[in-house]
Amino acid sequence: MPQSKVAGPERAADDSKKVPACSGPAEDTDAARRANVPARTSQGIDWRVRLRRDRTLILMTLPAVLLVLVFNYVPLLGNMVAFQDYDPYLGDNALQAVRESPWVGSEHFSRMVEDRLFWQALENTLTIFLVQLTLFFPVPVLLALLINSFVRPRVRAVAQAVLYLPHFFSWVLVVTIFQQMFGGAGMLAQTLREHGYEGIDLMTDPGLFKFLVTFEMVWKDAGWGVIVFLAALSVISPDLYEAAAMDGASRWRRMWHVTLPALRPVVALLLVLQVGNALTVGFEQILLQRTAVGPTAAEVLDTYVWNVGIQYGDFSYAAAVGVIKGIIGLGLVLAANKVAHMMGEQGVYKR
């Protein structure tokens, strides 16, 4: 016992010699400056350290950033022609034509308000968007839950590949396949005629057009959304399911209380992005079928801009419609993101 009483203070004294005293932020900064090493800031690692650490990732993302700048942000400068009476023949090149074209202010926007065809295109766009939001958006979530319930990984991989394959088809091929199935000379019409019924042509029915383009989108792009939701499901800890099963929760209870809450942030994010694309409902897809059903049912804002700007050469008015479309889309994104914040989700950006 006496030895332990003596050894205790001696050991404590030796340990105090080995362990250095804690230094404050000022001493760390001075030491880092003397060692020519960037000091840690109050917000974390110094930006120069992060730049050296992530230089490989930054170089990898530079081509994508350049593509976005060239094809998404640089063309925004051309929106100035919405306030001009733009004539491409006033100069030897586009820049000279912009300089020479007279300014007309908000004349094209006033014309837009009085244009009946513009309001009809806007109405068709919003109608198709609401149908797609109701019928298309839940499909990838349900398919992801179904595929995730498969026990065998091989069956899961085959199902995912089959669903994802149509995403690589062009809209020309997709419309052709639907024409061969549901057109006037398609498989469905021929089968009905063989059994004594009158054949039907779903591809030329204006009343069914909004549902037709929605089902085409479901068949083509549902597999893409499945991948996103399966990635979200893969990060759910199996311990949560095991704990819920031990508490007596059934399969449906585990899905309701474990799986769906884990998917909620991804659903909120994709829903905000989907609302942002409310006025973009598929230019190529609708343009290919516009003639079959007529402009009354198939004229949307994208095809309207195409007809006015490209076919009739009214570039300034088409640019004005594009500006209004972008402003409305931005407002929808901000509103949807605000709703996501009110629901407790992050959305596109944090508060």
Side-chain angles (χ1 to χ4, degrees):
M1 293 297 295
Q3 293 179 356
S4 62
K5 292 180 180 179
V6 175
E10 293 178 353
R11 188 178 298 110
D14 295 338
D15 293 341
S16 64
K17 295 178 181 179
K18 296 178 181 179
V19 179
C22 295
S23 56
E27 296 178 2
D28 289 342
T29 306
D30 295 338
R33 188 182 297 109
R34 289 194 297 269
N36 198 19
V37 176
R40 288 178 176 268
T41 63
S42 59
Q43 299 179 352
I45 305 176
D46 186 79
W47 66 272
R48 289 169 293 181
V49 176
R50 293 199 301 268
L51 185 62
R52 288 196 299 267
R53 181 193 61 189
D54 301 333
R55 60 182 181 274
T56 303
L57 298 176
I58 294 174
L59 291 176
M60 290 176 59
T61 57
L62 277 181
V65 173
L66 291 177
L67 287 176
V68 171
L69 290 175
V70 171
F71 292 100
N72 292 88
Y73 286 94
V74 174
L76 291 177
L77 300 176
N79 287 331
M80 68 176 63
V81 301
F83 304 92
Q84 294 179 316
D85 187 9
Y86 177 72
D87 187 354
Y89 302 103
L90 291 179
D92 297 332
N93 51 62
L95 294 178
Q96 187 176 357
V98 170
R99 290 197 301 265
E100 298 295 334
S101 297
W103 295 87
V104 295
S106 59
E107 177 181 334
H108 299 295
F109 298 94
S110 301
R111 171 187 167 190
M112 189 189 312
V113 175
E114 301 173 356
D115 190 355
R116 181 182 58 84
L117 297 178
F118 166 77
W119 292 108
Q120 182 180 5
L122 180 61
E123 180 183 355
N124 292 337
T125 303
L126 295 177
T127 302
I128 294 176
F129 164 72
L130 292 176
V131 174
Q132 291 180 353
L133 186 65
T134 305
L135 300 180
F136 171 75
F137 190 78
V139 172
V141 181
L142 298 177
L143 290 176
L145 294 175
L146 178 63
I147 294 176
N148 191 64
S149 64
F150 293 157
V151 178
R152 296 184 179 180
R154 180 172 297 181
V155 177
R156 188 183 308 173
V158 171
Q160 182 176 345
V162 171
L163 290 173
Y164 186 55
L165 181 61
H167 178 73
F168 297 98
F169 296 164
S170 66
W171 277 116
V172 176
L173 181 58
V174 172
V175 173
T176 302
I177 293 174
F178 272 77
Q179 179 68 35
Q180 294 298 322
M181 294 178 62
F182 304 110
M187 182 180 63
L188 178 60
Q190 292 180 4
T191 303
L192 291 176
R193 294 191 187 99
E194 291 175 358
H195 290 80
Y197 298 98
E198 183 180 357
I200 58 176
D201 188 359
L202 302 180
M203 301 297 293
T204 58
D205 191 342
L208 297 177
F209 179 73
K210 51 184 175 293
F211 300 101
L212 176 65
V213 295
T214 301
F215 289 131
E216 290 173 352
M217 180 174 290
V218 169
W219 184 73
K220 184 178 186 296
D221 290 331
W224 173 261
V226 168
I227 293 179
V228 177
F229 290 111
L230 284 178
L233 290 173
S234 64
V235 300
I236 302 177
S237 175
D239 297 338
L240 298 177
Y241 292 105
E242 296 176 2
M246 292 179 63
D247 291 338
S250 62
R251 175 185 290 269
W252 293 105
R253 286 290 182 181
R254 294 196 295 269
M255 180 180 297
W256 183 262
H257 294 286
V258 178
T259 306
L260 293 181
L263 288 178
R264 192 171 65 179
V266 180
V267 171
L269 174 61
L270 294 181
L271 187 60
V272 171
L273 297 177
Q274 185 74 14
V275 171
N277 290 327
L279 303 184
T280 304
V281 290
F283 167 72
E284 183 180 359
Q285 175 193 11
I286 295 178
L287 185 64
L288 291 171
Q289 304 173 84
R290 179 176 176 272
T291 306
V293 297
T296 303
E299 187 77 286
V300 295
L301 286 180
D302 286 343
T303 58
Y304 179 70
V305 170
W306 166 269
N307 292 326
V308 173
I310 303 300
Q311 291 191 348
Y312 298 105
D314 197 348
F315 300 103
S316 296
Y317 182 64
V321 176
V323 170
I324 293 299
K325 175 187 170 184
I327 294 175
I328 295 176
L330 177 60
L332 291 175
V333 169
L334 296 178
N337 201 74
K338 183 65 175 180
V339 174
H341 290 166
M342 294 172 61
M343 297 174 59
E345 302 298 336
Q346 177 176 338
V348 179
Y349 57 87
K350 296 181 180 180
R351 294 187 231 191

